[in-house]
Amino acid sequence: MERYNRITNKNFREIVLLKAKPCAWGKCRFCDYIDDNSENIPEMVRLNREVLSHVTGEFGVLEVIDSASCFELPEETLQDIKKVVDEKKIKKLFFESHWMYRKRLNEMREFFGIPIVYKIGIETFDEDFRENYLNKHADFKSPEEVAALFDSPCLMVGIQGQTREMIARDIEILKKYFKLGTVNVYTDNTTDVKKDPELIQWFAKEYRWLKDDPSVEVLFENTDFGVGD
């Protein structure tokens, strides 16, 4: 599995995929990332330290992702990230967090002492689809609630049951309320949530302009950031 890469098309940065403890929610219907979770703290710390050793500080920006939230990373790994930040003169971090941690975001900002761009897996702003089908456990009522706390929502498109209208509204909200965002095109996995090829084809054509939008990154495969497998 690739765990380090350099992103040089939009928002230049280095990215690392680290191991974390199991997601505190862990019940999203579409997610099967649990294979990369672990309870073996010493092993996680060892692996994460090796991955972090590849960071050069070339861009002064580092994105840290894992199969859960940044708050599920071991304390020792957070200390190792802090060491890298200081030694490599990292000036900005990208982290991802679940909605349940929204009241703890400043803990990381205070610990690292540099700006943090917080991503959040929204999947969709359609509350019924997000909560009653995807089981996301993110009970906000408006985009403004999210934008007040998080910087960059991650949307998901191309799921059976999703509609063109839902996707259009999601993209409109993304562009209206947020400076950054990621759109993930859904890929079939081991769950019962399936992709809609026709909807994906429509999205690729209708929103091809996003390719040239510097604020939105579109991932047609889970590995488009160059990490994972």
Side-chain angles (χ1 to χ4, degrees):
M1 180 183 291
E2 295 295 328
R3 293 186 177 273
Y4 168 83
N5 194 34
R6 298 161 65 254
I7 297 175
T8 58
N9 53 352
K10 298 180 183 180
N11 302 311
F12 284 27
R13 62 198 186 275
E14 293 175 275
I15 185 169
V16 290
L17 170 61
L18 304 183
K19 267 188 174 290
K21 293 172 284 187
C23 176
W25 173 240
K27 300 173 185 175
C28 294
R29 184 170 183 168
F30 58 89
C31 181
D32 66 351
Y33 295 159
I34 58 172
D35 288 347
D36 203 41
N37 291 335
S38 176
E39 297 279 10
N40 187 333
I41 301 296
E43 170 61 21
M44 281 193 286
V45 171
R46 182 202 63 76
L47 174 65
N48 292 343
R49 190 166 292 159
E50 193 281 325
V51 175
L52 287 166
S53 72
H54 296 276
V55 176
T56 67
E58 175 183 2
F59 308 116
V61 184
L62 174 64
E63 179 165 1
V64 177
I65 62 174
D66 60 69
S67 57
S69 295
C70 58
F71 293 94
E72 265 92 55
L73 289 167
E75 178 63 33
E76 296 92 332
T77 291
L78 291 176
Q79 294 287 350
D80 287 339
I81 297 170
K82 181 69 165 65
K83 185 178 179 181
V84 168
V85 165
D86 293 340
E87 291 182 351
K88 303 299 181 181
K89 296 180 172 53
I90 302 297
K91 295 179 174 59
K92 182 165 65 176
L93 282 169
F94 282 72
F95 275 152
E96 185 165 352
S97 172
H98 190 280
W99 176 251
M100 70 172 66
Y101 290 115
R102 63 193 179 278
K103 296 180 180 179
R104 295 183 57 190
L105 302 181
N106 281 334
E107 292 179 21
M108 291 292 187
R109 293 191 176 103
E110 292 170 3
F111 178 72
F112 288 101
I114 61 174
I116 294 177
V117 176
Y118 270 112
K119 291 184 171 185
I120 179 172
I122 291 300
E123 320 316 340
T124 178
F125 285 96
D126 185 286
E127 184 178 10
D128 179 62
F129 196 71
R130 182 182 69 249
E131 297 303 298
N132 297 324
Y133 181 67
L134 298 179
N135 198 31
K136 187 66 193 180
H137 190 52
D139 59 352
F140 59 86
K141 300 300 180 184
S142 70
E144 291 93 333
E145 283 184 72
V146 182
L149 298 166
F150 293 87
D151 308 288
S152 179
C154 299
L155 303 176
M156 192 174 290
V157 303
I159 303 170
Q160 287 183 12
Q162 210 173 18
T163 67
R164 295 182 180 186
E165 290 74 21
M166 288 164 61
I167 292 173
R169 178 173 178 267
D170 282 342
I171 300 298
E172 181 181 354
I173 289 172
L174 169 60
K175 293 299 298 176
K176 180 177 180 179
Y177 292 99
F178 300 92
K179 293 181 179 179
L180 295 173
T182 305
V183 180
N184 300 280
V185 176
Y186 186 71
T187 302
D188 284 343
N189 53 32
T190 61
T191 71
D192 67 347
V193 177
K194 301 303 177 186
K195 68 180 180 181
D196 182 333
E198 184 178 340
L199 192 60
I200 292 172
Q201 186 177 24
W202 168 82
F203 168 79
K205 181 179 180 180
E206 183 74 13
Y207 289 97
R208 59 185 179 275
W209 55 268
L210 288 176
K211 181 179 179 182
D212 299 317
D213 187 325
S215 67
V216 180
E217 294 172 308
V218 180
L219 308 182
F220 277 89
E221 300 291 341
N222 294 336
T223 55
D224 279 354
F225 275 152
V227 293
D229 63 7

